């Protein structure tokens, strides 16, 4: 599981509830420090056994570039209510949830950037493939083309085997998994006690039915790379750590080539770059997003939809068709501003929404 290194909310980051037609979703919202949100918003989707807190370290720097950023709990994860039935955790249902959240925060004149980590990448891909206006860009963060394999897959199989009990016994069994396996592992790794307490709370509050359904999909997900490549409606970034032990860097690099996507390898990071290398991850995403927006403005200007121009920094970013790609992966160093964004392309128009939220904190953050 991804393990945040700190839990304090940074400045200009707060807990909110996104109200959608498919129900409420718990989120962490980051807003720019001053002024209005000049750039298109972003939605970040966590992985299996994860939560919105896995993105805590990147939220503030991502918002500082002038955009609203939301990290969400998927349905049944941590603080988002569970589904009424196991069908609510099917990939199409989870993708529809992501689309509903994006619709609520989308600007009228542009799309939403979508980022999916690990299992969240499989769901983000499903959302991008769904009929509709689409997204401004898609980033697959430490995610692969199909089912998980290797040691990580064995760990998921082991968890599913332990959860193979009747529904009434599931909460107790999840608590036992934590007590006998996950807590000793976290303690041995030197995880601080406050973080261990959070991990315990997150696991025991996550829907056991959701853990089972999501785990089964992780082990059986089909390869939909070809379908995503054929879509070609928005630029794609494949972003991964050089030491990823879920889908190997080689597998993710090959997926990026098949997609014609930009690909960036983050040195010294493993399966959770947003935790392990937050500065590099944030700068890479910001550069990629700015390039996607600049390319979309040029496309709209060429179609007579809006005048050319806009933010000089974004306009200076390089362009290309969706899936322009490179011959090899870019390597982002700790002080780099991000990748050479040659994958910028035709961003999809946004899903207009009201952006309604219920906040657990008092500041208004200048929301519309």
């Amino acid at each position: 599981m991804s393990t945040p290194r700190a839990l304090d909310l940074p400045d200009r980051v707060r807990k909110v509830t996104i109200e959608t037609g498919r129900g409420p979703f718990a989120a962490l919202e980051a807003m720019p420090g001053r002024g209005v949100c000049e750039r298109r918003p972003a939605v970040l989707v966590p992985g299996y056994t994860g939560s919105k807190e896995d993105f805590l370290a990147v939220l503030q720097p991502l918002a500082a570039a002038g955009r609203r950023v939301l990290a969400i709990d998927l349905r049944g994860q941590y603080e988002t209510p569970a589904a009424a039935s196991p069908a609510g955790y099917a990939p199409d249902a989870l993708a529809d949830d992501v689309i509903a959240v994006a619709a609520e925060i989308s600007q009228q004149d542009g799309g939403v950037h979508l980022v999916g980590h690990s299992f969240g990448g499989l769901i983000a891909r499903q959302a991008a493939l769904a009929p509709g206006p689409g997204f401004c860009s898609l980033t697959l963060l430490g995610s692969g083309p199909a089912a998980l394999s290797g040691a990580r897959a064995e760990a998921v199989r082991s968890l599913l085997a332990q959860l193979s009990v009747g529904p009434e016994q599931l909460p107790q069994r999840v608590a036992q998994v934590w007590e006998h396996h996950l807590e000793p592992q976290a303690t041995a790794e030197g995880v601080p006690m406050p973080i261990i307490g959070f991990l315990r709370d997150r696991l025991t509050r996550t829907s056991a039915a959701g853990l089972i359904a999501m785990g089964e999909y992780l082990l059986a997900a089909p390869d939909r790379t070809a379908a995503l490549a054929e879509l070609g409606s928005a630029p794609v970034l494949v972003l991964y750590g050089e030491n990823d032990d879920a889908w190997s860097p080689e597998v993710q690099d090959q997926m990026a080539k098949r997609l014609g996507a930009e690909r960036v390898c983050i040195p010294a990071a493993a399966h959770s770059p947003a935790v392990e290398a937050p500065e590099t991850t944030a700068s890479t995403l910001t550069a990629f997003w700015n390039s996607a927006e600049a390319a979309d403005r040029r496309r709209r200007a060429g179609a007579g939809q809006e005048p050319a121009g806009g933010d000089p920094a974004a306009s200076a970013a390089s362009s290309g068709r969706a899936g322009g790609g490179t011959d090899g992966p870019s390597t982002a160093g700790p002080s780099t501003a991000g990748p050479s964004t040659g994958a910028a392309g035709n961003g999809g128009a946004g899903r207009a929404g009201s952006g309604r939220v219920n906040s657990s904190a008092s500041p208004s953050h200048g929301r519309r």
Side-chain angles (χ1 to χ4, degrees):
M1 67 179 74
S2 291
T3 303
R5 293 177 178 172
L7 295 172
D8 293 335
L9 296 186
D11 292 341
R12 303 184 298 278
V13 176
R14 63 173 184 165
K15 284 189 174 184
V16 298
T17 299
I18 306 298
E19 299 288 351
T20 77
R22 293 180 60 82
F25 292 85
L28 291 174
E29 176 190 60
M31 301 289 282
R34 58 184 178 181
V36 298
C37 296
E38 299 176 346
R39 301 186 185 277
R40 296 178 188 175
V43 174
L44 314 181
V45 183
Y48 184 59
T49 74
S51 67
K52 58 193 179 300
E53 285 75 15
D54 296 337
F55 297 107
L56 258 174
V58 299
L59 290 176
Q60 187 182 63
L62 290 175
R67 56 175 48 89
R68 181 185 182 191
V69 182
L70 284 177
I72 67 171
D73 290 341
L74 284 169
R75 186 175 300 278
Q77 280 185 333
Y78 192 28
E79 295 180 316
T80 291
S85 72
Y89 304 112
D92 284 340
L94 294 175
D96 285 344
D97 290 341
V98 171
I99 291 169
V101 171
E104 289 297 333
I105 71 164
S106 179
Q107 300 166 341
Q108 294 290 335
D109 59 348
V112 171
H113 299 287
L114 183 59
V115 178
H117 172 237
S118 192
F119 173 81
L122 300 177
I123 300 306
R125 178 182 69 180
Q126 199 83 0
L129 288 169
F135 295 87
C136 183
S137 74
L138 171 65
T139 298
L140 303 175
L141 176 62
S143 190
L148 195 62
S149 62
R152 291 264 184 169
E154 289 305 314
V156 174
R157 289 190 185 94
S158 175
L159 175 60
L160 294 180
Q162 294 176 74
L163 298 182
S164 182
V165 296
E168 67 284 350
Q169 297 173 289
L170 274 173
Q172 180 181 3
R173 184 56 60 88
V174 170
Q176 291 173 345
V177 168
W178 169 259
E179 180 180 354
H180 297 303
H181 300 282
L182 300 180
E183 183 173 22
Q185 178 182 337
T187 301
E189 293 172 353
V191 177
M193 287 306 299
I195 305 296
I196 288 180
F198 161 75
L199 295 177
R200 179 194 304 112
D201 187 43
R202 178 170 72 178
L203 181 67
T204 55
R205 293 180 63 179
T206 293
S207 164
L211 285 173
I212 293 171
M214 294 179 191
E216 289 175 344
Y217 186 66
L218 260 177
L219 298 176
D223 189 335
R224 304 202 67 190
T225 305
L228 186 60
E230 291 173 3
L231 190 64
S233 59
V236 179
L237 169 65
V238 175
L239 181 60
Y240 54 88
E242 67 172 343
N243 300 316
D244 199 330
D245 61 349
W247 291 273
S248 71
E250 293 76 16
V251 166
Q252 294 183 65
D253 186 63
Q254 184 59 37
M255 177 181 68
K257 291 177 181 177
R258 292 173 60 197
L259 289 171
E262 182 169 356
R263 50 203 184 276
V264 176
C265 175
I266 299 183
H271 186 53
S272 300
V275 173
E276 299 146 354
E279 293 182 1
T280 307
T281 300
S283 63
T284 300
L285 287 172
T286 295
F288 174 65
W289 292 344
N290 290 352
S291 178
E293 292 174 26
D296 190 48
R297 280 195 298 273
R298 288 191 291 271
R299 179 185 64 81
R300 289 168 178 263
Q305 296 178 5
E306 65 182 36
D311 178 72
S315 298
S318 59
S319 67
R321 66 179 293 275
T326 57
D327 290 334
S330 302
T331 302
S335 62
T336 183
S340 171
T341 49
N346 299 328
R351 296 175 173 85
S354 62
R356 296 169 294 151
V357 301
N358 293 330
S359 173
S360 58
S362 57
S364 66
H365 289 259
R367 192 177 294 101
R368 295 191 302 271

